[in-house]
Amino acid sequence: MNVAEDENKFHDGGDEEKEGLNLLGSMPEELIGQVLGAVDQVFQLLNINEVARLLNMPSNRTQSDYGTAVVLGVATVAVAAVVGGIVYFNDGKAPWNRRKKHHPLTKQQWVESFESKEGRLSDGGEKVLHKARKGGIDISIRAEVWPFLLGLYDMKSTSAERQASDVCKSEEYQELRRQCAVLKERMVADSNKSSLEKDDSGSFEKVNEADILESMIDEKGETSESEPSSKTDEVSESKEKQDGVSNNDTEEIAANDEPSENPKVDDILAKGPKALEDYKDWMRIIRLDAVRMNAEWVPYSAVQANVSEEEAARRAGEVGIQDDDHLEASRRHHAARLVAILEAYALYDPETGYCQGMSDLLSPFVALMESDSQAFWCFVEYMKVAKANFRMDETGILRQLRLVGQIFQLSDPQLHDHLVRIQADDCFFVYRMVVVLLRRELSFEQTVCLWEVVWADWAALRLEATGGSRSVREALRRLPASKDLLLFTIAAAVLQKRKFIIEKCQGLDEILRECNAMAGKLDIWELIDDARELLRVFNSKETDSPRETFKVPGRRKTRSGTAALKMSSLKRGAGMNGGEGLVIVIMGVSGAGKSTIGELLGRNLNCPFIDADDFHQAENKDKMRNGIPLTEDDRLPWLEKLRDAMADYISEGKIAVLACSALRQSYRSILCSAADGPSPDNTKRVMFVHLIGSKELFESRLAARHEEGKHFMPPSLLQSQIELLEDDEKDSRSIIVSADASLSPQAIVDHIKNALSARLHG
Amino acid sequence: MLGGRVRWLGIRRSGLSASKAEGETGAADKQRAIKQANMSARKRTLLKVIILGDSGYVNKKFSNQYKATIGADFLTKEVQVEDRLVTMQIWDTAGQERFQSLGVAFYRGADCCVLVYDVNVMKSFDNLENWREEFLIQASPSDQDNFPFVVLGNKVDVDGGNSRVVSEKKAKAWCSSKGNIPYFETSAKEDFNVDSAFQCIAKNALKNESDEEIYLPDTIDVAGVRPPKSSVCEC
């Protein structure tokens, strides 16, 4: 079945009015009742000016009808539908809907996607995915569709298989919760013990800590949740029924102290006191963040919005939240569920544990899913990707910041050059957007809309990777997917501000302020459309750098990438027509990474790499090996040889990369003289790239090299080199590059290439 | 090749100065650099202040938002110091240790660092030393010994002071052992002593006024603006 047919079946781009009517028509009566009640409430809450703005907003931006309501923070399921309805009935063509329309996957389409016999998605979920990637998902079915998008349910699963998995997963979750309680018991016991052992002066704090810990424990016995609910599928229901049937499992287990019964707890305890300290700290911060969660989600979950005070207090007591008396019941209940799930997650994945920002990622699941277990396991699936953002070594976040930088570089060189100029090309101004996947910049509705499109992309790529059909590949060709769609969306958001950034922002702080102030001003479908366009551009220009991990599966990398482009532009800059070449001197003290970077740059530019160390005469090498600093007289013949070699390349019109310490201005003048000649522009024949970094880093590199006997430069000479190092004057031939250990060599080389081509053309 | 060597000797003899062509480019560059510097250099009435401390103990009133800070954010606060009106850019960065790279990116150019702890939580006090060291490593200010810090013992209002575990004496002793760091007891919730703390922060930051060259180049410098000499090799 081809894509066009699919779209027809889904009324894609179909008659808006009809769809609007359908939407109301398909609502059950009691829901319509709720809708009208909610509309009443919301319009009372609404600032009347905002309503006016909603209905007259002269904007040409894309909005889903639902989204429009939401941007103003109005949306309830009901209101969104009704406002949508009003729009349809008024004229069917609201001014803000002139751009491409995005139709979410509707409930009816969703229900019809399943074959009736076994409850399988009839085409392995292809149509559903395609639809979700293009238009998101209707609010009413989100909680049902998400487990499929996230991979919690197999696309090919039957309803029986899914039910079995639910039961199994629910038991697993309850088991984690039980172990959370056990661990807390242990921590209280530990700190009580140590406070007894301590003398008077120290006990004060410990007792205090024990009190706090104790308060985190369910007085009624949290293990009431641990009973596997095999009798009924409605886990949450059974959980509530069992509550109050107090038992003392917790104490018994702690007393028995049988290691095999609490494997997760044992894992933590086995890692020693630091792991336990960490867990304690996570428990504290989880509670802190949970009660700070705002109420933006409330209109999206009628059931949870109307939770009773008693129920909220019960849940809050269960996980031991303090300082939440000021919260209304719905938020208190929400906070308690967040705490329970996040604690379980920290135990489930102790390597990630808890990190601020994770509560932001979990909250939408808790809001839209009634079952803690379901929310937990969906969160687990999401975290399989998102936990890269919370790694201790920060490699995940740094990779993504680099990719955002590359997107700017390829799609908007002018902006990129500006960022380089104001030292903001590390893109740290999008840090928050990356870490919590735009949750802080977008409204609740916009966030889930973006996330489900992102998940649908992941799911489509999974489908393709596991031998997707021809129609899957065709759909991916027509609408390219990326596991990094989020980063393209972030880039799109920043690019909306490009003019302001280029004209007004002279520092990282100014861009950061601009980015952090985007909240509430973004149009999610416009961003997603722009992100897809950026992805298309990026794929067509994709670099072939070996280090870059970014790859769109199923797409072959070509050699005609940026390196080749840069190469030709460098050649143009170097004035190849005049028979003149270019020598790029990579300079800096020993251990700065000159050889590594030089060699890689040479490979990138497809030109020879020369190591100045190879030009030292034997006496010099002996001196250095014995820790004797070289004199000026020692260096002269060496520099002379280098300069001659450079002059050869230049006069032959070739490009070469030279790694040379070139510490002093006078040495650089010698090397520059290689370009002296009749050329009208000899300042562009020799360029210096100065690698800088911390002394400690360079020292450690030298020490490692010295031990391996690889290099004749002992670490003790580093100081003498640093003393020799002269700062360049403001020389157009000099480029300073940080050789920070956190940057990959390829990233450094990419910086160099950009800066060089900017300089040579500038 | 012979010609090249002669030219080289000539350059060497003339005191290793730049050649004529170089000189011209250098001058143009210099002008551009000065222009750039004027545009980008922080006016001295704008002070960059970094607030650090264990997460959750820095009260919301010190920071920009009620929710946990992700990444970095700042707010600005106008303070009258004697006859000058200064704008303080108060930075708050995510507090957990796994966000270290944020420090490198956002601490640079700081004029003052404010260390905050909760007088009711011993651990938050014990960690002050870690925060201080962390700051010095990541911001690498040019004068590590005299960089202005201010310590705030916050939440003195809690439970009428009964739950307090860090005494004022203990905190002051630590502060004086670290080069007489000014110390304030505050309650952000009750707005107690906060203004005088910020007055002090501003004054201390202004003292460092002569220390203009704080920017560390950690990226390429295309426009030709040179970093201060001292920061190039960090020695």
Side-chain angles (χ1 to χ4, degrees):
Chain A
M1 185 181 280
N2 68 39
V3 178
E5 273 175 35
D6 294 353
E7 288 179 355
N8 285 335
K9 221 177 171 184
F10 278 117
H11 317 290
D12 211 348
D15 189 333
E16 289 161 318
E17 204 167 312
K18 192 170 136 205
E19 199 160 326
L21 285 164
N22 276 346
L23 205 120
L24 278 186
S26 63
M27 274 185 195
E29 265 176 44
E30 69 269 24
L31 189 58
I32 292 179
Q34 276 185 4
V35 165
L36 296 177
V39 167
D40 228 39
Q41 276 186 354
V42 169
F43 276 92
Q44 280 172 17
L45 288 170
L46 256 181
N47 180 333
I48 195 69
N49 290 333
E50 295 212 320
V51 180
R53 210 151 60 83
L54 169 70
L55 296 174
N56 298 312
M57 191 162 54
S59 159
N60 57 359
R61 292 182 166 184
T62 326
Q63 287 278 358
S64 76
D65 302 315
Y66 313 124
T68 308
V70 172
V71 163
L72 301 175
V74 190
T76 62
V77 173
V79 174
V82 169
V83 170
I86 292 166
V87 171
Y88 288 134
F89 299 135
N90 278 349
D91 58 11
K93 273 192 176 54
W96 58 86
N97 282 328
R98 274 181 207 134
R99 262 175 73 148
K100 228 185 314 178
K101 260 197 80 72
H102 293 274
H103 297 268
L105 174 72
T106 65
K107 182 160 190 162
Q108 195 186 349
Q109 289 163 353
W110 173 243
V111 172
E112 284 169 1
S113 309
F114 288 91
E115 43 111 307
S116 51
K117 207 168 134 217
E118 287 185 298
R120 265 185 236 270
L121 279 168
S122 45
D123 59 350
E126 274 180 42
K127 273 180 290 182
V128 168
L129 279 186
H130 188 65
K131 188 79 189 161
R133 290 179 65 220
K134 282 179 73 176
I137 298 163
D138 187 80
I139 314 160
S140 61
I141 49 167
R142 276 184 170 142
E144 290 172 50
V145 185
W146 286 3
F148 287 89
L149 294 186
L150 286 160
L152 184 60
Y153 293 154
D154 193 299
M155 287 285 186
K156 299 186 181 73
S157 60
T158 65
S159 58
E161 283 166 348
R162 291 192 294 272
Q163 271 177 16
S165 143
D166 281 351
V167 171
C168 188
K169 289 284 184 192
S170 165
E171 284 173 16
E172 207 182 320
Y173 173 71
Q174 300 305 342
E175 170 61 18
L176 279 168
R177 284 300 308 153
R178 187 189 62 80
Q179 292 197 40
C180 284
V182 173
L183 185 59
K184 272 182 271 179
E185 284 283 332
R186 269 301 269 279
M187 293 193 307
V188 173
D190 275 8
S191 42
N192 279 338
K193 203 166 65 189
S194 63
S195 71
L196 285 174
E197 285 161 3
K198 277 222 171 182
D199 61 17
D200 287 342
S201 60
S203 64
F204 186 21
E205 179 209 346
K206 285 293 178 185
V207 170
N208 190 330
E209 191 178 77
D211 284 349
I212 294 165
L213 283 169
E214 210 136 21
S215 73
M216 290 177 180
I217 304 229
D218 173 20
E219 285 156 20
K220 283 180 252 171
E222 206 179 358
T223 43
S224 59
E225 279 188 293
S226 73
E227 296 284 315
S229 50
S230 47
K231 289 165 202 157
T232 166
D233 288 341
E234 281 300 310
V235 179
S236 52
E237 203 176 288
S238 77
K239 205 164 53 193
E240 282 166 26
K241 277 178 194 159
Q242 282 167 18
D243 184 71
V245 186
S246 174
N247 61 48
N248 291 323
D249 279 0
T250 320
E251 286 77 15
E252 278 164 31
I253 285 157
N256 290 347
D257 202 21
E258 281 175 32
S260 58
E261 283 190 9
N262 307 307
K264 290 287 181 188
V265 175
D266 295 336
D267 281 354
I268 300 256
L269 296 177
K271 282 185 199 154
K274 170 80 168 77
L276 202 60
E277 274 300 310
D278 282 346
Y279 194 81
K280 239 183 256 179
D281 206 35
W282 295 335
M283 294 204 328
R284 178 180 69 81
I285 305 174
I286 285 172
R287 282 164 178 76
L288 204 67
D289 289 352
V291 297
R292 292 197 279 187
M293 197 53 67
N294 64 23
E296 220 190 333
W297 58 271
V298 171
Y300 296 87
S301 173
V303 178
Q304 293 185 62
N306 296 322
V307 73
S308 69
E309 295 280 351
E310 295 73 37
E311 175 62 9
R314 187 188 68 79
R315 292 291 312 246
E318 223 168 65
V319 294
I321 302 185
Q322 292 174 314
D323 306 327
D324 65 334
D325 303 339
H326 61 290
L327 296 178
E328 53 269 44
S330 58
R331 288 181 62 187
R332 207 172 173 196
H333 182 251
H334 187 74
R337 292 187 66 201
L338 287 174
V339 170
I341 295 172
L342 289 169
E343 259 179 18
Y345 186 81
L347 203 59
Y348 173 82
D349 175 12
E351 208 179 315
T352 306
Y354 179 71
C355 181
Q356 296 197 303
M358 281 166 62
S359 54
D360 287 70
L361 300 191
L362 173 63
S363 174
F365 294 100
V366 171
L368 295 187
M369 295 175 169
E370 304 292 318
S371 149
D372 282 9
S373 165
Q374 183 87 323
F376 173 81
W377 289 108
C378 281
F379 180 64
V380 165
E381 291 297 328
Y382 198 10
M383 283 299 286
K384 279 182 184 169
V385 177
K387 72 178 175 188
N389 298 355
F390 305 105
R391 282 173 62 109
M392 290 288 181
D393 63 7
E394 298 184 87
T395 50
I397 189 84
L398 294 175
R399 176 196 78 88
Q400 296 180 80
L401 295 179
R402 272 201 302 276
L403 181 53
V404 172
Q406 284 168 350
I407 297 170
F408 292 145
Q409 191 184 339
L410 281 175
S411 60
D412 193 340
Q414 196 194 347
L415 174 67
H416 181 259
D417 287 350
H418 180 73
L419 295 178
V420 170
R421 206 170 304 129
I422 64 172
Q423 302 190 352
D425 55 327
D426 54 14
C427 293
F428 264 74
F429 49 89
V430 298
Y431 196 99
R432 185 175 82 182
M433 298 185 183
V434 173
V435 171
V436 289
L437 301 105
L438 281 169
R439 179 66 195 90
R440 292 285 175 92
E441 287 72 26
L442 298 174
S443 69
F444 182 86
E445 165 66 21
Q446 290 176 321
T447 307
V448 292
C449 208
L450 171 65
W451 287 1
E452 59 202 15
V453 171
V454 166
W455 299 334
D457 255 30
W458 295 350
L461 292 170
R462 275 201 305 272
L463 209 60
E464 192 199 27
T466 54
S469 63
R470 205 163 51 83
S471 56
V472 174
R473 289 195 298 276
E474 173 63 14
L476 283 174
R477 194 187 58 75
R478 288 175 47 160
L479 188 67
S482 165
K483 72 177 173 64
D484 287 314
L485 184 66
L486 180 98
L487 303 181
F488 287 90
T489 312
I490 290 170
V494 174
L495 284 169
Q496 290 189 344
K497 299 274 176 191
R498 68 177 299 281
K499 191 167 180 288
F500 183 86
I501 293 171
I502 292 170
E503 288 173 4
K504 298 270 171 5
C505 296
Q506 292 301 327
L508 180 60
D509 51 348
E510 286 162 30
I511 307 184
L512 183 82
R513 188 175 47 204
E514 201 56 27
C515 284
N516 284 356
M518 278 179 189
K521 295 176 191 161
L522 294 166
D523 174 332
I524 191 58
W525 283 109
E526 186 177 80
L527 284 185
I528 293 174
D529 285 345
D530 289 353
R532 296 265 186 223
E533 192 50 42
L534 281 175
L535 176 63
R536 237 184 268 274
V537 171
F538 193 84
N539 283 344
S540 68
K541 290 183 182 175
E542 200 182 350
T543 68
D544 60 347
S545 61
R547 283 250 165 195
E548 184 45 59
T549 50
F550 176 78
K551 197 158 76 181
V552 178
R555 242 156 283 274
R556 202 171 53 82
K557 293 197 167 197
T558 54
R559 245 217 85 81
S560 61
T562 332
L565 283 172
K566 284 272 145 59
M567 169 78 178
S568 61
S569 73
L570 281 183
K571 278 182 177 160
R572 269 202 313 281
M576 293 291 282
N577 307 337
E580 303 266 353
L582 163 70
V583 176
I584 303 157
V585 184
I586 311 289
M587 59 168 285
V589 296
S590 293
K594 298 188 293 292
S595 302
T596 311
I597 299 300
E599 211 177 335
L600 190 60
L601 180 63
R603 260 190 303 177
N604 269 239
L605 299 177
N606 200 17
C607 72
F609 164 69
I610 317 159
D611 197 337
D613 285 341
D614 297 336
F615 285 68
H616 274 300
Q617 52 270 54
E619 307 92 281
N620 283 5
K621 288 186 186 175
D622 282 340
K623 267 194 164 179
M624 287 195 275
R625 201 173 288 118
N626 295 320
I628 306 166
L630 296 180
T631 63
E632 293 296 308
D633 284 342
D634 292 325
R635 282 199 178 92
L636 264 176
W638 169 62
L639 289 165
E640 209 175 358
K641 266 202 274 180
L642 283 174
R643 189 222 34 220
D644 289 351
M646 287 165 67
D648 285 345
Y649 281 105
I650 292 168
S651 61
E652 285 167 34
K654 287 180 183 161
I655 299 183
V657 177
L658 169 71
C660 174
S661 51
L663 299 174
R664 304 187 71 163
Q665 190 68 48
S666 57
Y667 307 160
R668 290 193 288 273
S669 297
I670 294 169
L671 297 180
C672 281
S673 67
D676 284 1
S679 160
D681 193 9
N682 65 357
T683 56
K684 285 182 175 175
R685 303 278 80 81
V686 180
M687 299 292 285
F688 292 94
V689 175
H690 187 170
L691 299 180
I692 59 163
S694 76
K695 189 185 167 195
E696 288 74 16
L697 172 66
F698 297 169
E699 256 174 353
S700 67
R701 284 182 186 159
L702 282 181
R705 257 192 246 169
H706 203 59
E707 266 170 31
E708 291 166 32
K710 273 186 190 163
H711 199 271
F712 44 77
M713 178 83 187
S716 55
L717 274 187
L718 183 61
Q719 190 55 42
S720 79
Q721 288 205 335
I722 288 170
E723 279 157 19
L724 265 183
L725 185 68
E726 283 174 345
D727 196 17
D728 314 47
E729 2 171 275
K730 292 172 178 56
D731 188 341
S732 66
R733 298 196 283 218
S734 247
I735 293 164
I736 290 198
V737 177
S738 162
D740 196 307
S742 65
L743 295 171
S744 75
Q746 185 59 47
I748 297 172
V749 165
D750 287 343
H751 275 312
I752 295 173
K753 286 194 295 191
N754 293 326
L756 275 173
S757 70
R759 194 66 67 80
L760 290 171
H761 298 299
Chain B
M1 279 308 103
L2 185 72
R5 193 164 305 156
V6 170
R7 274 195 304 276
W8 159 54
L9 287 171
I11 289 164
R12 197 167 158 252
R13 228 177 285 120
S14 65
L16 303 170
S17 66
S19 69
K20 193 167 174 257
E22 265 180 290
E24 277 163 12
T25 329
D29 251 354
K30 200 166 197 164
Q31 271 201 332
R32 198 172 57 194
I34 290 166
K35 203 174 151 202
Q36 275 282 333
N38 285 340
M39 277 163 68
S40 63
R42 197 176 309 115
K43 281 181 218 132
R44 289 321 297 186
T45 44
L46 181 64
L47 298 174
K48 184 169 179 176
V49 178
I50 313 285
I51 301 215
L52 295 176
D54 281 6
S55 37
Y57 301 134
V58 180
N59 203 292
K60 60 174 175 176
K61 283 226 177 144
F62 288 135
S63 92
N64 202 356
Q65 53 184 345
Y66 186 43
K67 275 178 144 191
T69 308
I70 307 291
D73 206 352
F74 65 88
L75 56 81
T76 51
K77 183 181 168 80
E78 302 272 319
V79 175
Q80 180 88 33
V81 181
E82 283 145 18
D83 57 340
R84 296 174 70 170
L85 190 65
V86 289
T87 305
M88 293 210 273
Q89 200 182 58
I90 300 163
W91 284 76
D92 182 25
T93 53
Q96 276 178 296
E97 59 177 333
R98 60 186 101 185
F99 293 125
Q100 284 199 347
S101 64
L102 284 171
V104 181
F106 292 108
Y107 298 171
R108 69 179 172 212
D111 298 295
C112 180
C113 175
V114 182
L115 303 170
V116 187
Y117 76 97
D118 182 339
V119 296
N120 308 291
V121 182
M122 186 59 77
K123 205 177 151 214
S124 71
F125 177 73
D126 293 338
N127 277 338
L128 287 184
E129 178 59 25
N130 296 337
W131 284 113
R132 185 177 161 276
E133 280 174 16
E134 192 69 21
F135 176 82
L136 288 174
I137 291 167
Q138 294 186 359
S140 26
S142 47
D143 186 358
Q144 302 244 336
D145 296 331
N146 295 311
F147 186 86
F149 285 92
V150 172
V151 171
L152 306 185
N154 195 29
K155 302 201 182 178
V156 289
D157 60 293
V158 172
D159 200 14
N162 288 326
S163 61
R164 179 167 187 149
V165 293
V166 184
S167 69
E168 188 171 357
K169 199 177 145 201
K170 187 172 179 177
K172 280 187 169 163
W174 184 83
C175 287
S176 58
S177 76
K178 298 294 165 191
N180 283 322
I181 300 177
Y183 176 71
F184 288 86
E185 304 239 312
T186 56
S187 161
K189 195 177 163 197
E190 309 283 327
D191 211 7
F192 167 71
N193 225 3
V194 175
D195 279 341
S196 40
F198 275 96
Q199 275 286 328
C200 172
I201 292 163
K203 272 185 200 158
N204 275 283
L206 282 169
K207 264 187 219 159
N208 250 33
E209 215 170 351
S210 56
D211 193 7
E212 183 86 35
E213 300 171 336
I214 321 173
Y215 267 113
L216 267 180
D218 71 343
T219 43
I220 307 158
D221 174 36
V222 180
V225 185
R226 312 304 302 169
K229 199 167 182 172
S230 61
S231 63
V232 172
C233 58
E234 294 191 14
C235 58

